[in-house]
Amino acid sequence: MRFRLQPTPAQEAALLEHCAHARYVWNLACEQHLHWRPGRANAPRYAEQSRQLTEARKECPWLAAGSQTVQQQALRDFAQAMANFFAGIHRRPTWRKTGIHEGFRIVGQRGNHWNARQLSRKVGEVRIPKVGWVRFRWSRDIPAEAKSFWVERDRAGRWHVCFAMIPPPIDGPGTGAVVGVDRGVAVSAALSTGELTSVPGLHETETERLGRLQRRLARAAPRSNRRKRVKTAIARLKARETDRRKDWAEKTSTDLARRFDFIRLEDLRSAPWFVPHAARSLRRG
């Protein structure tokens, strides 16, 4: 469940500091694992990294001024990412960059580590460690089973809070209806019923403005204030396009789940013309 966060300037500065601490701890853990080579000692595990974090907080006042909960959770997330990598279900975790990976996670029992409450019909608050109560747009109730949330800032400068929970299942019609979905580029989804639907993108005027901004960005001096403003304007347009794409995907998938009991998709990997080894040999040639 994702909500639009509305922090004050002072709260935004504190949130950015949490993001910087989480990113710093993550990158240190990533560096320790990338340093490993055959013949060297194993990279430290979570327990040892946790002890190292305690020692680092004693020696670095700027790190001790941050939330230990945020920093400790960054180490847990990295340990889980490495476990997923060794299990073969995810790629290897990499570096996090300023301005791109701005976020942190809070995990714990609701009421002790964090809490959320509704102030009015459209306003709610979430309690974040060492930040306090931060307001967000209340659009639906937060279930009691939510035990963690993620705070993030996108490239357009928007803050969001995402509460982790398993969504309730969507019941089908119960008629045994079957539909086939063919995914493409020009037509995003073609149904066996004859329906065609495509992902909405930017409008014509927005596309023209994006082109002007990109040309202006190419002329802007590196590391200048003008370049930062233009990049922010481009990010806002891209965020608008991303929001429309996500909204289309959610509405389309929900509509199909309610109308049909079985949804069949084409598996391109099983197609007779898909030969990975031959494709690689053609690229080498």
Side-chain angles (χ1 to χ4, degrees):
M1 300 180 65
R2 193 163 179 254
F3 301 88
R4 181 73 176 272
L5 205 60
Q6 299 173 322
T8 63
Q11 291 174 339
E12 185 174 8
L15 293 175
L16 285 174
E17 187 175 0
H18 282 351
C19 295
H21 290 162
R23 185 172 56 251
Y24 177 78
V25 172
W26 174 282
N27 288 341
L28 281 181
C30 186
E31 182 180 3
Q32 288 177 334
H33 279 259
L34 291 179
H35 182 69
W36 181 87
R37 294 292 184 276
R40 295 180 180 175
N42 291 335
R45 302 294 182 95
Y46 166 73
E48 185 177 353
Q49 288 177 337
S50 181
R51 290 192 294 268
Q52 293 175 356
L53 175 62
T54 303
E55 297 175 359
R57 286 176 58 87
K58 294 179 181 178
E59 298 179 1
C60 302
W62 63 271
L63 193 62
S67 172
Q68 186 177 6
T69 303
V70 172
Q71 300 165 14
Q72 203 81 22
Q73 188 59 45
L75 288 179
R76 292 193 184 97
D77 292 342
F78 182 84
Q80 184 61 46
M82 289 300 300
N84 294 340
F85 167 70
F86 288 122
I89 59 177
H90 203 274
R91 61 184 180 182
R92 190 182 189 94
T94 57
W95 308 95
R96 290 183 174 178
K97 300 180 180 179
T98 306
I100 299 178
H101 304 97
E102 299 285 359
F104 59 91
R105 196 158 71 101
I106 300 295
V107 177
Q109 191 66 30
R110 182 173 176 178
N112 297 330
H113 296 80
W114 66 275
N115 204 347
R117 62 190 181 188
Q118 185 178 6
L119 298 180
S120 62
R121 190 169 65 91
K122 294 185 178 181
V123 180
E125 282 185 332
V126 58
R127 182 162 55 86
I128 302 176
K130 289 201 172 184
V131 179
W133 291 97
V134 184
R135 293 194 174 191
F136 63 90
R137 296 181 184 176
W138 187 281
S139 57
R140 47 186 168 170
D141 294 336
I142 302 175
E145 58 267 19
K147 295 183 179 180
S148 67
F149 66 91
W150 175 268
V151 177
E152 64 178 355
R153 180 179 182 267
D154 60 17
R155 299 190 187 185
R158 304 177 304 177
W159 288 93
H160 295 89
V161 56
C162 309
F163 297 93
M165 58 161 293
I166 300 177
I170 299 175
D171 297 330
T175 59
V178 182
V179 67
V181 181
D182 183 20
R183 294 169 295 174
V185 178
V187 178
S188 302
L191 307 185
S192 57
T193 58
E195 302 175 54
L196 303 178
T197 177
S198 296
V199 178
L202 296 177
H203 303 315
E204 183 177 356
T205 56
E206 294 172 334
T207 304
E208 294 176 356
R209 184 169 184 266
L210 179 61
R212 291 195 302 269
L213 289 173
Q214 289 174 339
R215 291 190 294 270
R216 192 179 304 171
L217 180 66
R219 296 191 300 266
R223 295 183 296 275
S224 62
N225 292 331
R226 182 190 180 194
R227 184 177 182 85
K228 293 180 182 179
R229 290 194 300 269
V230 175
K231 288 182 68 175
T232 302
I234 293 177
R236 288 173 180 170
L237 280 176
K238 291 291 186 179
R240 191 178 304 172
E241 183 180 19
T242 302
D243 291 343
R244 292 172 184 171
R245 183 169 62 249
K246 290 181 178 180
D247 181 71
W248 174 88
E250 292 290 340
K251 290 180 178 179
T252 302
S253 59
T254 302
D255 178 65
L256 292 177
R258 288 175 176 170
R259 292 167 53 194
F260 304 96
D261 288 322
F262 299 95
I263 302 174
R264 300 185 182 274
L265 300 175
E266 181 182 8
D267 187 2
L268 297 178
R269 294 175 297 180
S270 62
W273 50 266
F274 184 78
V275 185
H277 298 288
R280 284 198 294 268
S281 62
L282 287 175
R283 287 197 295 268
R284 287 197 298 267

